[in-house]
């Protein structure tokens, strides 16, 4: 544990995750090239991005169960191989249907990476460093987006579709070789946790994990923090900035990297805070949600077009939501036995992606509805009008608000369990703060 070998495992695991994010986001820069290559409508082409995310989310719980049964190494190897196959299919795809199959393979492979590497970290490290390393891994991985946005986009522009997707696949091949050579499930001589011997036992373990209030707290923490940034970076941020705010496309693409930068800066701080104040992790999550709600309120209520500084601030706050969501996995880790951690992480990871899908879809519906009303009132069609974006983005208050209610319920049940089983009483934050203040004054 915490050995030099553990650090090597951490580095290669993070690189494998970075490669997965590169494969995941590679389609984002290739939309125009895809239109030229395959033709077809925007709806058919957007299915390339959406299908991959649906497969990703649908596979989280099965992948979690598989990690508990077979260990993370097998899953990382399988996932990376599937992504290589997917990107190769895409590189040589003669038609949109082969391209869709390629993206399905990428989504399925990508689904296996993140929670496997999270699982590796908790097998190779112990103590307070675990939440900090999960933060580092998550945030280093997001640099895969920057690799997509800059060098990969450059290769696509210079040499075209096939070389671009072959280059992306070659990064996954390098990750695959490194994983084969370096990654092992746990330190030699450490005890293997009992693995479920049958599928029935694995499913029973998943059910238990799902029922634990701590796992549910993790799910809702992931749900409320991650979605707003994901919705912005994967779908609606770009059209909002280009058509709603009038930015040049290259400026909009550069703005999206603020999300990654903010994660890199704030992730380690959140890791330190969660390790230092484990009983206050839900307060940190709620603080992040309040910041996201406030930043959106400023943008949505700004009279006229919000200045670029305000949009940059929104992106910083949304960027904090990414690492904030990793606190969800820390809840899973501390409220589940190691043997069912894979399943618990799978459950947690569904949270943010569910909220993202729902919000992405509802924002699209609201944009369409407003455009329909505008046209039927005799106006001209303007799907991405700034005013329409304001109303449509506001739907996130509803989606995230539902999550906050369920988070508070899960937290109440978790605290009740801690008081019953371990005698740990967690006072509301304002009570704890006022006690601290009184102690500080009397010293
Ligand atoms: N919220 C992300 C991780 C993250 C870290 N910093 C920014 N984002 C997450 O849960 N990701 C799951 C995945 O598969 O990428």
């Amino acid at each position: 544990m915490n050995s030099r070998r553990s650090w090597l495992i951490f580095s290669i695991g993070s690189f494998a995750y970075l490669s997965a994010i590169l494969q995941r986001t590679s389609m984002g820069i290739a939309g125009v090239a895809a239109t030229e290559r395959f033709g077809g409508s925007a709806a058919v082409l957007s299915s390339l991005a959406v299908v991959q995310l649906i497969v990703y989310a649908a596979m989280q719980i099965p992948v979690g169960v598989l990690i508990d049964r077979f260990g993370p190494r097998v899953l990382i190897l399988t996932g990376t191989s599937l992504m290589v196959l997917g990107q190769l299919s895409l590189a040589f795809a003669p038609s949109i249907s082969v391209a869709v199959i390629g993206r399905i393979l990428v989504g399925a492979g990508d689904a296996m990476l993140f929670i496997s590497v999270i699982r590796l970290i908790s097998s190779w490290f112990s103590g307070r460093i675990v939440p900090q390393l999960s933060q580092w891994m998550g945030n280093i991985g997001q640099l895969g987006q920057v690799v997509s946005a800059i060098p990969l986009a450059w290769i696509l522009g210079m040499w075209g579709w096939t070389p671009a997707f072959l280059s992306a696949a070659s990064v996954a091949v390098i990750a695959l070789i490194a994983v084969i050579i370096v990654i092992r499930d746990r330190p030699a001589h450490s005890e293997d946790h009992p693995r479920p011997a049958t599928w029935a036992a694995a499913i029973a373990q998943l059910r238990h994990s799902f029922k634990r209030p701590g796992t549910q707290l993790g799910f809702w923490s992931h749900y409320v923090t991650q979605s707003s940034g994901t919705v912005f970076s994967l779908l609606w941020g770009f059209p909002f900035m280009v058509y709603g705010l009038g930015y040049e496309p290259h400026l909009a693409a550069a703005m999206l990297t603020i999300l990654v930068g903010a994660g890199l800066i704030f992730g380690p701080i959140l890791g330190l805070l969660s390790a230092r104040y484990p009983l206050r992790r839900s307060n940190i999550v709620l603080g992040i949600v309040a910041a996201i709600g406030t930043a959106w309120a400023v943008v949505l209520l700004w009279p006229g077009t919000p200045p670029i500084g305000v949009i940059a601030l929104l992106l910083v706050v949304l960027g904090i939501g990414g690492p904030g969501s990793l606190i969800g996995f820390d809840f899973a880790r501390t409220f589940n036995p190691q043997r069912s951690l894979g399943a618990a992480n799978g459950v947690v990871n569904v949270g943010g992606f569910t909220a993202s899908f729902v919000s992405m879809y509802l924002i699209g519906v609201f944009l369409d509805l407003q455009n329909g009303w505008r046209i039927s009132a005799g106006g001209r069609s303007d799907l991405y009008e700034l005013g329409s974006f304001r109303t449509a983005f506001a739907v996130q208050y509803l989606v995230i608000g539902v999550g906050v209610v369920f988070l508070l319920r899960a937290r109440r049940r978790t605290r009740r369990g801690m008081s019953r089983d371990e005698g740990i009483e967690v006072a509301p934050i304002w009570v704890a703060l006022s006690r601290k203040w009184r102690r500080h004054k009397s010293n």
Side-chain angles (χ1 to χ4, degrees), residues 25 36 70 107 181 314 333 383 414:
T25 53
E36 284 164 7
F70 300 111
I181 297 171
L314 170 72
R333 179 179 66 86
L383 188 59
T414 308

Side-chain angles (χ1 to χ4, degrees), residues 17 21 24 56 60 110-111 113-115 134-135 137-140 142 145 222 226 230 259 263-264 319 321-326 329 349 353:
Y17 175 55
I21 297 281
R24 183 190 297 174
Y56 172 98
Q60 281 311 304
D110 179 17
L113 262 289
F114 184 75
I115 56 174
S134 305
Q135 281 291 350
M137 185 277 288
N139 293 302
I140 290 169
Q142 305 311 309
Q145 268 184 67
H222 199 264
Q226 182 186 276
T230 305
L259 285 155
L264 279 168
S325 72
L326 297 181
F329 297 103
N349 209 16
F353 287 92

